[in-house]
Amino acid sequence: MAEKEPKLTAKEFSKQLTQKYYEGAKHAHEQGKYIAYTTAVSPAELFYAHDVIPIYPENHSVMMITHRMTAELSQSIERKGYTSHLCAYARSDLGFRELQKSPIGGIPDPDFLLACNAQCFTLTKWFEVLSRRYNAPLFVFDTPQFIRDKRAREEIIKYVMEQIYEMIESLETLTGKKFDFDRLREVVEYSRQASILYKTYLDMASYKPSPISIFDALINMAITVYLRGTPEAVQFYQLLVDEVMETKVKKGIGVIPNEKYRLYWENLPIWFKFRDHFKLLASYGAVILTSLYVHAWSYDFDPSDPVRTLAENYASVFSNVELEERAEMALDLFRRYSLNGNLMFLNRSCKAVSFAIHELRDIITEKTGIPALIFESDMGDPRFYSESQIRTRIEAYLETLDQLSFERERGLRE
Amino acid sequence: MNQKEILEKVQAIAQDPFPYLKGKKTEGRKILGSPLADVPSELIHAAGFLPVTILGTNRPIVKASAHLPDNACSLSRSNLELVLNYQREDFDGFVFPQVCDTTQHLSDIWKMTIPSEFFASFLIPRQVDRTSARHWFYAETQRLKSQLEGFSGSPITDDALRKSIRLYNEARTLLREIYQAKRMSPTLISNRQLFDLIRAFCFMAPEDIIPLLQTLVSDLDAEKSGEEKKRVIRISLSGIVVEPAELFGLLDELKVSVVADDLIVGSRMIDYDVPEHEDLIMALTERHFSKSPFSPIRDVGTRLYDHLLRRVEETKAEGIIYFHIKFCESQDYDLPDMKSVMRERKIPMIVLETEYQTAAKAQTKTRLEAFIESLYGEQIHG
Ligand code: SF4
Ligand code: SF4
């Protein structure tokens, strides 16, 4: 009987996949392959179906941020006239191009750029700068706000589908190769499976106590961002789900010992601080479980009509719907995960996700009765982060929650 | 009315359109406001409403800060303040375009904080370099048409739309003639006066402004013949909108003359007419795609810079004054490359950051003076 190979943990597998992916990208040009820069929310399936390697500058920027390089990188471009209030991803990236500093030795230059504005508009302008710099074509994949008007939605999907065909044409021109729709169907099927498993993983936060926190979700989301559309992404999420099931859920082990507050987090994380935040919150029995941000990749694809399904999924991401609908998406998480606290981060870097935060708070608070804390900072630039202030406010907020639950227990409140 | 009286009347409306708009309302005309960007006024006009471009306010910000973070651009903040706090009752509804993250969210905030009889999102394509954008603009304009018809209760007939198109084309043609006259003899009309006319065009019904412009044009023609040639520095402006309007007064004081611009409240508003076309929605679409570039909308390659360069060349402008709206992200990303293009081409350019609520600072004036002086210097030595 053959010895069983020692099984990789999900963490090891993820590391392996990431290394392989960046290695492959580094040598793409030597192997006659093309590099396309793309945005985290975008129909990257088209690239995988056409053997073009999608690279996500945002993802690279997260690495620069967590390595605390952003202030230095940003300063290098501020000297060139860019302002310090641009998105920290963009500033880190443009700074990397200036100083050639990166925790992973950089990313290759683009042959093509795709900016999908379902996520934000910043990326269009940032990629425009890159497109001029590298003299590479930029394709703006335009997704008008997915408003609730039925007629508008039908027309938007038509418009977005037409753009997918335009993009396919651009890819054919770039590579001189015919696009293969059967291959696209296959890739979308992998995306579908990965997305379902990814969502299953995120939804494990509904267990009590929760076996995962948002910080786990943030770490494990990387694979679906840059490898959805590949069989490896499916394997990875299967492994991850099984692992959490076996090691945590079945044993009733929570991610923190005395789970009392199950929190929602609005916006992207403060990347360079999230471990500290985890510890601070845990000391109060609080844990952040989820946010709409991590759910931005729980898609629901239907491979039988790949072009339509790509259009529908990418146009309707939370950052591209009207506020009421976005609030409903958040409220759904409050219900399903039994959340009882709400931290709302107003992120200087990200107008796209932050503006209208007050209105969002009003809706959520009205519907749940849960008070929310709004605080302002920056997801990537420590120069705009005030440790003591944020700490004090989070502590004060948790005390309010304590007080509330005390009153509830004693029947002083509903 | 003579030229002077007309200019005074129009300037008064440009500075405070609300008495004029109140008058229109009493006549039974409903007012539909739109923030800046590419809403087809012709269509709104043809539906029997008065389309008004919302161009912010310089009065104090009191309520908007509770709704928009402080890194929202000055234009959107002051637009929200204007309607939320000062002139809410003057608007019956809104047609709301989106061009950037700020306008997309402003639209959501607006709907929740300023309830009105009518609100239509007008989702213009944020790219203009591919055919799909044309199809989308066409579909979206038709959708707007149905919404307007729903609000007014009657269909927009081709005749009505054709008439509105003619009126807008005529007003634009007259404004272009005045601009052109100024190019020929720069001191004929001041910078402030010219741009106040364009501003008034954002607020007034075309049928009201046309007779005034007609008289102006004929008077200007008469005056032009007697005009002596003085040396004035010819300037091109660049940006989206120049606010506060006193900045134009500053340019007048410094004795420079604007001969070109790529502003949205400027040439981009008056340079392009709706072409003849049997399908009128198609005609409106054609106009949209003939327009000059607009920073937040994706256009082919470097067209934004190329267009400005061409305008500068054609009009023999000697330098560029770029107006950067505080916290306009779109401009933030354009500027460094824009500066280096102009440096390479040896075209003098100065960038001024502008903000509503803030009178032009002494520093702005000093910088502008130094810039203008350097242009005189170049002229003498170069
Ligand atoms: S953080 Fe926000 S602004 Fe920056 S790239 Fe992401 S979505 Fe866009
Ligand atoms: S394009 Fe600039 S000025 Fe216009 S709304 Fe957007 S951020 Fe403000």
Side-chain angles (χ1 to χ4, degrees):
Chain A
M1 210 166 65
E3 274 292 299
K4 253 200 182 164
E5 262 189 56
K7 236 176 120 187
L8 286 178
T9 63
K11 193 173 170 189
E12 289 160 347
F13 189 35
S14 157
K15 205 169 158 200
Q16 214 180 60
L17 288 177
T18 303
Q19 266 167 2
K20 211 176 112 198
Y21 164 69
Y22 277 113
E23 264 319 290
K26 222 170 258 172
H27 301 292
H29 284 156
E30 296 153 31
Q31 292 165 1
K33 283 198 174 175
Y34 292 90
I35 296 284
Y37 281 7
T38 193
T39 53
V41 172
S42 72
E45 285 77 6
L46 299 174
F47 294 126
Y48 277 115
H50 204 60
D51 283 329
V52 170
I53 302 182
I55 288 285
Y56 299 80
E58 290 159 84
N59 195 263
H60 183 226
S61 290
V62 169
M63 297 186 212
M64 295 188 275
I65 290 173
T66 49
H67 283 77
R68 302 206 169 225
M69 298 166 68
T70 301
E72 183 195 354
L73 293 169
S74 181
Q75 273 154 4
S76 77
I77 59 149
E78 284 161 36
R79 283 193 288 274
K80 302 220 126 187
Y82 291 97
T83 84
S84 63
H85 54 253
L86 298 178
C87 166
Y89 288 166
R91 285 184 286 131
S92 304
D93 178 74
L94 296 173
F96 149 68
R97 300 187 194 269
E98 225 29 65
L99 303 180
Q100 288 303 322
K101 284 192 180 173
S102 150
I104 57 160
I107 51 176
D109 296 347
D111 301 305
F112 184 86
L113 299 101
L114 167 68
C116 170
N117 55 25
Q119 183 180 341
C120 74
F121 153 84
T122 281
L123 276 152
T124 318
K125 296 303 287 184
W126 160 17
F127 278 22
E128 262 185 0
V129 175
L130 296 181
S131 151
R132 288 192 291 267
R133 181 179 185 118
Y134 296 105
N135 200 13
L138 164 64
F139 188 104
V140 168
F141 189 76
D142 182 26
T143 50
Q145 189 182 33
F146 207 51
I147 57 173
R148 271 192 160 149
D149 180 293
K150 190 165 162 275
R151 175 165 168 193
R153 285 200 165 178
E154 277 164 19
E155 294 289 352
I156 290 171
I157 295 302
K158 247 202 246 164
Y159 173 39
V160 176
M161 285 173 70
E162 187 177 349
Q163 292 180 79
I164 292 179
Y165 288 111
E166 285 175 334
M167 172 131 151
I168 287 172
E169 244 182 79
S170 303
L171 287 178
E172 288 180 334
T173 313
L174 176 77
T175 61
K177 214 173 70 183
K178 192 114 195 75
F179 191 84
D180 179 348
F181 281 87
D182 290 331
R183 186 71 214 293
L184 179 63
R185 222 163 274 127
E186 242 173 70
V187 168
V188 173
E189 172 59 22
Y190 287 133
S191 274
R192 184 186 73 85
Q193 292 176 21
S195 298
I196 291 175
L197 288 164
Y198 174 65
K199 186 160 185 290
T200 310
Y201 169 69
L202 293 182
D203 281 348
M204 286 177 146
S206 58
Y207 287 109
K208 278 181 173 175
S210 172
I212 61 166
S213 77
I214 194 174
F215 305 116
D216 303 306
L218 288 165
I219 289 166
N220 288 313
M221 124 193 158
I223 298 292
T224 198
V225 171
Y226 51 72
L227 288 176
R228 68 175 182 282
T230 69
E232 289 82 3
V234 182
Q235 286 162 17
F236 169 73
Y237 287 106
Q238 189 63 62
L239 181 63
L240 183 65
V241 166
D242 294 347
E243 195 177 283
V244 180
M245 204 45 153
E246 288 306 317
T247 59
K248 296 269 178 67
V249 178
K250 281 194 180 161
K251 297 179 182 159
I253 300 176
V255 67
I256 59 164
N258 304 303
E259 179 192 286
K260 197 165 161 201
Y261 293 114
R262 302 164 60 85
L263 309 178
Y264 173 79
W265 175 270
E266 172 55 33
N267 216 292
L268 283 72
I270 303 179
W271 286 107
F272 59 99
K273 272 283 159 194
F274 74 44
R275 278 176 216 287
D276 296 352
H277 289 157
F278 179 77
K279 282 190 213 137
L280 170 69
L281 292 166
S283 71
Y284 283 84
V287 56
I288 304 170
L289 294 188
T290 197
S291 77
L292 282 181
Y293 173 63
V294 292
H295 275 272
W297 292 270
S298 6
Y299 301 115
D300 181 10
F301 292 113
D302 168 10
S304 70
D305 194 349
V307 172
R308 173 173 290 274
T309 202
L310 292 175
E312 286 171 349
N313 275 279
Y314 292 116
S316 61
V317 66
F318 83 96
S319 48
N320 201 41
V321 295
E322 286 171 291
L323 200 70
E324 291 86 357
E325 187 169 2
R326 176 163 157 196
E328 282 166 29
M329 291 173 165
L331 286 166
D332 179 54
L333 296 175
F334 273 85
R335 269 189 301 271
R336 290 199 295 122
Y337 296 5
S338 320
L339 303 176
N340 54 10
N342 186 4
L343 295 180
M344 301 186 86
F345 164 40
L346 201 167
N347 183 357
R348 273 180 52 93
S349 262
C350 185
K351 295 184 179 185
V353 178
S354 300
F355 279 16
I357 195 167
H358 298 101
E359 281 69 26
L360 189 63
R361 187 251 339 258
D362 290 350
I363 303 177
I364 295 178
T365 306
E366 200 212 315
K367 291 269 159 63
T368 59
I370 300 167
L373 170 67
I374 294 185
F375 65 99
E376 186 176 337
S377 184
D378 188 88
M379 69 179 185
D381 193 330
R383 291 175 297 170
F384 304 114
Y385 179 87
S386 152
E387 178 74 44
S388 57
Q389 201 190 12
I390 289 176
R391 210 187 161 89
T392 318
R393 297 204 54 202
I394 292 183
E395 283 173 343
Y397 177 69
L398 293 173
E399 276 154 27
T400 315
L401 288 187
D402 256 341
Q403 181 64 26
L404 268 179
S405 71
F406 175 81
E407 288 171 13
R408 278 202 185 107
E409 273 161 30
R410 295 209 162 24
L412 301 171
R413 246 173 220 268
E414 296 233 334
Chain B
M1 274 192 283
N2 63 27
Q3 182 188 338
K4 192 165 162 272
E5 284 162 347
I6 290 178
L7 283 171
E8 274 167 10
K9 179 175 174 175
V10 176
Q11 278 192 291
I13 295 176
Q15 277 152 45
D16 180 10
F18 292 99
Y20 164 80
L21 294 178
K22 280 192 171 73
K24 298 311 275 185
K25 265 182 91 115
T26 350
E27 289 166 25
R29 194 84 167 258
K30 289 200 167 172
I31 313 282
L32 297 191
S34 302
L36 196 54
D38 297 329
V39 168
S41 307
E42 294 85 349
L43 200 56
I44 300 173
H45 184 266
F49 307 117
L50 180 60
V52 170
T53 306
I54 302 172
L55 284 179
T57 177
N58 286 307
R59 292 159 79 185
I61 298 284
V62 181
K63 293 190 174 162
S65 310
H67 301 279
L68 270 177
D70 22 288
N71 58 341
C73 73
S74 180
L75 177 61
S76 60
R77 171 184 307 281
S78 112
N79 273 348
L80 182 62
E81 185 67 36
L82 174 81
V83 182
L84 187 59
N85 191 22
Y86 296 113
Q87 316 288 162
R88 188 192 283 233
E89 70 287 358
D90 291 322
F91 293 93
D92 300 286
F94 303 95
V95 177
F96 219 93
Q98 300 184 2
V99 287
C100 61
D101 289 339
T102 305
T103 38
Q104 182 158 338
H105 289 293
L106 187 62
S107 162
D108 283 336
I109 294 170
W110 203 282
K111 272 180 284 186
M112 283 185 68
T113 53
I114 308 172
S116 64
E117 274 183 75
F118 181 73
F119 186 99
S121 294
F122 184 61
L123 305 169
I124 54 173
R126 288 165 294 180
Q127 51 104 1
V128 288
D129 55 348
R130 300 189 310 271
T131 329
S132 56
R134 283 175 187 266
H135 296 158
W136 168 245
F137 189 94
Y138 185 88
E140 189 59 355
T141 307
Q142 278 201 310
R143 194 175 68 88
L144 176 63
K145 180 167 176 271
S146 316
Q147 286 176 292
L148 290 166
E149 289 170 341
F151 184 41
S152 75
S154 52
I156 299 174
T157 63
D158 269 9
D159 278 349
L161 184 50
R162 203 169 287 118
K163 203 170 138 214
S164 297
I165 288 176
R166 282 207 189 109
L167 284 170
Y168 277 92
N169 278 353
E170 189 178 351
R172 285 187 285 251
T173 308
L174 289 163
L175 286 164
R176 285 201 298 275
E177 278 176 33
I178 297 172
Y179 204 146
Q180 183 56 21
K182 179 170 169 58
R183 252 172 227 132
M184 308 304 289
S185 12
T187 49
L188 206 52
I189 165 173
S190 73
N191 301 306
R192 177 74 193 253
Q193 285 165 336
L194 173 67
F195 280 88
D196 272 346
L197 291 175
I198 299 176
R199 218 181 133 85
F201 175 57
C202 293
F203 307 135
M204 290 175 76
E207 59 274 22
D208 289 344
I209 200 172
I210 285 171
L212 305 176
L213 294 175
Q214 276 166 338
T215 318
L216 270 185
V217 166
S218 49
D219 286 4
L220 285 180
D221 278 348
E223 256 186 45
K224 200 159 53 183
S225 44
E227 161 84 3
E228 57 168 294
K229 294 254 167 1
K230 279 187 231 131
R231 164 77 183 131
V232 257
I233 293 280
R234 300 162 66 86
I235 282 290
S236 174
L237 307 184
S238 180
I240 293 175
V241 55
V242 178
E243 285 292 342
E246 68 181 71
L247 285 165
F248 288 111
L250 189 55
L251 297 179
D252 288 325
E253 263 175 57
L254 294 172
K255 304 241 176 327
V256 297
S257 183
V258 176
V259 293
D261 74 86
D262 67 356
L263 301 169
I264 308 310
V265 184
S267 293
R268 191 170 181 278
M269 194 163 266
I270 63 170
D271 272 2
Y272 309 91
D273 283 336
V274 184
E276 291 284 330
H277 204 296
E278 211 161 301
D279 177 346
L280 298 174
I281 301 296
M282 185 53 81
L284 294 172
T285 308
E286 294 285 331
R287 169 169 192 261
H288 182 76
F289 288 89
S290 69
K291 285 183 184 175
S292 55
F294 178 16
S295 172
I297 310 263
R298 169 65 191 168
D299 206 326
V300 192
T302 54
R303 198 163 87 96
L304 190 63
Y305 313 138
D306 298 342
H307 171 78
L308 180 60
L309 281 169
R310 207 170 40 246
R311 297 302 290 144
V312 166
E313 218 166 84
E314 282 164 6
T315 57
K316 302 196 172 53
E318 295 158 85
I320 298 171
I321 305 176
Y322 185 99
F323 293 91
H324 176 202
I325 299 170
K326 191 165 188 189
F327 289 124
C328 171
E329 234 191 323
S330 196
Q331 293 187 310
D332 284 334
Y333 279 101
D334 289 339
L335 260 172
D337 282 353
M338 173 84 103
K339 282 187 203 159
S340 63
V341 168
M342 297 309 158
R343 219 175 297 128
E344 257 166 48
R345 304 288 293 262
K346 298 203 167 38
I347 298 173
M349 173 165 116
I350 185 174
V351 178
L352 301 176
E353 189 174 73
T354 63
E355 191 178 11
Y356 283 85
Q357 279 74 39
T358 319
K361 296 176 200 121
Q363 195 210 3
T364 308
K365 189 172 176 195
T366 320
R367 286 188 58 216
L368 258 181
E369 266 167 356
F371 178 69
I372 308 292
E373 246 166 58
S374 75
L375 293 182
Y376 272 111
E378 294 219 335
Q379 216 268 327
I380 294 161
H381 306 296

